[in-house]
Amino acid sequence: MLTIWGRENSNNVRKVLWCAAELELSYSHINAGGAYGKVDEAAYRALNPNGLVPLLQDDDFVLWESNTIVRYLAAKYGKAPFYPQDLRQRAAAEKWMDWATATIVTPFRPVFWGMVRTPPDQRDMLKIEAAIAELEKCFDIVEDTLSQQPYLSGDQLGIGDIPLGSFIYAWFEMPIARRPRPHMERWYQQLCARPAYRSGVMTTMT
């Protein structure tokens, strides 16, 4: 039996919940982290010594790190095109997973925390605006790619869309000024039309 640990308003947990929904998996979900606690308890630390979410249990197999969990679920339960069997196609999709984590997370964090989880009178707008400017440079790359193909993964939705797609919900819904990006906006609307995205990602941001 599959069990997914993690609070629904975590972007990293959303990746896993969205992936599981796309694959139509049956699983048990346990809220953990943030206000839910549990992650500092000895029983949880025995499963994930980092004390972070998400965490996946697949019977007696335990796995942490959100992108790795997505890869595992897609490899075990998915099929092409969601999880490409061709090595080059899979690598082309997976590069977006690692790129989102390595490139987007750092500038995204001060924007999200500043605009969503910080009272307006306490926001460091200079820091937020600098992070937005850095993200805009990154999204130039995304916009260019999506001008040439419907999804980051290629012609159809796949694992390469999940990490950035989980962050992009907040990007488009936060009350910030954004450059017009017709291809990213089209991609986002395609994601919003998917029931799995709505159930896995489009939950409360706070």
Side-chain angles (χ1 to χ4, degrees):
M1 178 179 177
L2 289 174
T3 302
I4 299 171
W5 295 70
R7 53 189 172 83
E8 294 177 336
N9 62 346
S10 161
N11 284 307
N12 285 330
V13 175
R14 284 173 172 158
K15 299 177 194 177
V16 179
L17 296 176
W18 177 18
C19 180
E22 289 287 352
L23 297 171
E24 299 182 339
L25 301 180
S26 176
Y27 62 90
S28 173
H29 176 225
I30 300 174
N31 273 307
Y36 296 99
K38 298 186 179 70
V39 295
D40 288 326
E41 296 174 5
Y44 187 87
R45 288 292 180 126
L47 298 172
N48 184 355
N50 301 288
L52 300 173
V53 293
L55 172 74
L56 176 74
Q57 291 177 282
D58 187 1
D59 293 326
D60 61 347
F61 180 63
V62 177
L63 194 62
W64 31 268
E65 290 299 325
S66 58
N67 286 357
T68 301
I69 295 172
V70 168
R71 289 184 174 100
Y72 172 78
L73 292 176
K76 182 172 181 178
Y77 300 102
K79 58 184 179 181
F82 186 76
Y83 185 73
Q85 298 305 302
D86 179 84
L87 179 60
R88 291 186 176 184
Q89 291 177 359
R90 187 164 68 244
E94 286 187 327
K95 76 173 184 287
W96 288 107
M97 301 178 72
D98 298 327
W99 180 84
T101 299
T103 306
I104 297 298
V105 170
T106 298
F108 182 84
R109 186 177 290 113
V111 180
F112 181 80
W113 277 89
M115 297 304 300
V116 175
R117 295 182 176 168
T118 302
D121 61 340
Q122 297 178 27
R123 290 172 182 163
D124 184 342
M125 291 308 300
L126 290 178
K127 182 177 181 181
I128 292 170
E129 289 167 3
I132 290 174
E134 186 174 348
L135 286 169
E136 291 284 17
K137 294 178 182 178
C138 299
F139 290 151
D140 285 341
I141 300 170
V142 179
E143 179 72 4
D144 180 65
T145 298
L146 292 174
S147 72
Q148 303 171 55
Q149 60 192 50
Y151 295 93
L152 295 177
S153 298
D155 291 336
Q156 298 186 56
L157 180 93
I159 55 173
D161 296 275
I162 286 184
L164 186 58
S166 298
F167 286 100
I168 216 67
Y169 166 58
W171 173 254
F172 278 113
E173 300 303 322
M174 285 187 291
I176 58 175
R178 293 171 293 273
R179 295 180 194 168
R181 296 187 184 277
H183 300 290
M184 275 187 65
E185 291 164 14
R186 181 262 307 156
W187 174 66
Y188 176 57
Q189 291 306 315
Q190 289 175 184
L191 300 184
C192 291
R194 304 184 71 88
Y197 186 78
R198 294 197 297 270
S199 66
V201 176
M202 299 180 72
T203 55
T204 178
M205 287 194 294
T206 57

